[in-house]
Amino acid sequence: MIRQRLALALGLALLLPAWAAPTLSVRDAVTQGAMVRGQTTAGATVTMNGQSLPVTAEGAFVFAVARAYEGTVTVRATDPQGQTATLELPVVERSFDVQRIDGLPQDKVTPPRSQELQDRIWREVVQIREARGQASARTDFTQAFIWPVDGIVTGVFGSQRILNGTPKSPHSGLDIAGATGTPVLAPAGGAVTLWHPDMYFTGGTLIVDHGHGITSTFIHLSDTLVAEGDIVEQGQPIAKVGATGRATGPHLHWSMNWDKVRIDPQLLLPERDEPAS
C-alpha cells in the first residue's frame, strides 16, 4: 500500500508543471547617467529598487540611473506563478568635468529677476514637466538611437560650473554644433508632446515621448517641422537648429529624461568619426 501511494504521488508530481524562474537581463551598461533597457519573460512584472516598472507585451522594460547615483541597483522580475529572478547591478561611477570660476560680479551668478519674469519661468517649467510626465505605452525606447545632427560635440552631459562657490546645475544633455536651419532628425520614434517657440531659457523647445517615461527634449531651435500630437518616425526631420533662448551661438541641445531622472544621450549613440569643423 505504501509503495502504491508513493508511486501515485510520484506520478502526480511528474504531471505537475515545473515552473522555472522568469528570464531577466539588461542590454545597456549600468553607469551614472545611463538609460538601461531590460528584458524579461512576457507577462512578468518588474521592479527597480522596489519601484514598479511598466513592461511591454514582449517583456521589455526601461529605467535610468541618475548622474550622482552610487551603489547598486536591484531589478526583480516576478512571473504570474510567483517565481522571481533578481539582478544586483553595481553602478559604474563616472568622472565629470567641473570648472570653478571665482571673482565674478554676484549679479552674473544670480541675476535679479522681476516677479513677472519669475512667473513666466515657472509657467514654462510646469509646461515642460507636464510634457515629460505623459508616460505612454509607446515602445520607441527599444530602438537603437541615432545622431539627430551630424555636427561637432561642443558640450557633454554632467559637466558643471561652480561660480563664486555656488554650484550651478550640471549640464543636462548633449550639445551638437550646427548652422541655423540645419535639420534635426528624430533619434528614435515617438509622439510630440510639446512645441514652444520662445521659452525664456530654452527658446524653441520640442519634446518627444519615446514611451515608458523616456523623453527627448530639443532646445534653442529656430523652428519646428512637426506639431504637438504628431507621431514621428526615427530619422524624420522634426525641427531646425537655432540659437534661441539663452544660447551663445547656433547649436542643438538634446537632453533626455526618465521621468525626472536625467539621461546622457551620448551613451545611446553609435561611435562615429568627429566631423570636421
Side-chain angles (χ1 to χ4, degrees), residues 194-214:
L194 176 72
W195 161 249
H196 193 300
D198 185 28
M199 287 189 162
Y200 179 73
F201 287 118
T202 59
T205 303
L206 181 73
I207 297 180
V208 175
D209 166 33
H210 303 298
H212 290 217
I214 300 295

Side-chain angles (χ1 to χ4, degrees), residues 58-172:
E58 295 76 24
F61 60 91
V62 67
F63 62 91
V65 180
R67 173 187 181 273
Y69 188 93
E70 297 178 354
T72 301
V73 170
T74 302
V75 180
R76 180 170 289 111
T78 306
D79 67 17
Q81 289 72 42
Q83 299 294 315
T84 64
T86 303
L87 294 176
E88 295 288 345
L89 304 170
V91 175
V92 178
E93 295 185 20
R94 301 169 61 188
S95 296
F96 298 101
D97 291 336
V98 177
Q99 183 182 20
R100 298 178 181 273
I101 302 176
D102 295 313
L104 294 172
Q106 194 58 35
D107 63 350
K108 299 299 183 184
V109 178
T110 52
R113 298 174 186 149
S114 67
Q115 186 61 50
E116 180 181 3
L117 181 54
Q118 290 181 16
D119 291 343
R120 174 190 171 183
I121 292 170
W122 177 245
R123 287 195 302 271
E124 293 170 356
V125 167
V126 171
Q127 284 181 274
I128 290 174
R129 286 181 179 174
E130 290 178 348
R132 287 175 175 160
Q134 298 177 30
S136 72
R138 297 190 64 85
T139 60
D140 306 280
F141 67 87
T142 62
Q143 296 176 329
F145 282 61
I146 63 172
W147 288 83
V149 173
D150 186 24
I152 297 172
V153 172
T154 57
V156 296
F157 174 88
S159 58
Q160 185 180 26
R161 284 183 169 182
I162 300 177
L163 306 181
N164 289 0
T166 301
K168 310 305 286 186
S169 296
H171 192 242
S172 62

Side-chain angles (χ1 to χ4, degrees), residues 14-40:
L14 292 173
L15 292 174
L16 292 173
W19 301 114
T23 59
L24 182 61
S25 62
V26 296
R27 65 185 258 201
D28 299 295
V30 185
T31 68
Q32 292 173 328
M35 181 180 96
V36 183
R37 290 164 289 192
Q39 186 69 39
T40 189

Side-chain angles (χ1 to χ4, degrees), residues 219-267:
I219 69 174
H220 306 311
L221 302 171
S222 61
D223 202 358
T224 182
L225 301 174
V226 294
E228 289 182 18
D230 284 356
I231 304 300
V232 300
E233 301 294 330
Q234 185 179 63
Q236 175 183 335
I238 56 175
K240 296 180 181 180
V241 170
T244 56
R246 194 169 68 173
T248 57
H251 70 283
L252 173 68
H253 173 98
W254 170 28
S255 61
M256 291 185 65
N257 280 64
W258 176 57
D259 192 16
K260 296 179 182 179
V261 178
R262 299 285 195 181
I263 296 168
D264 184 353
Q266 197 165 3
L267 295 178

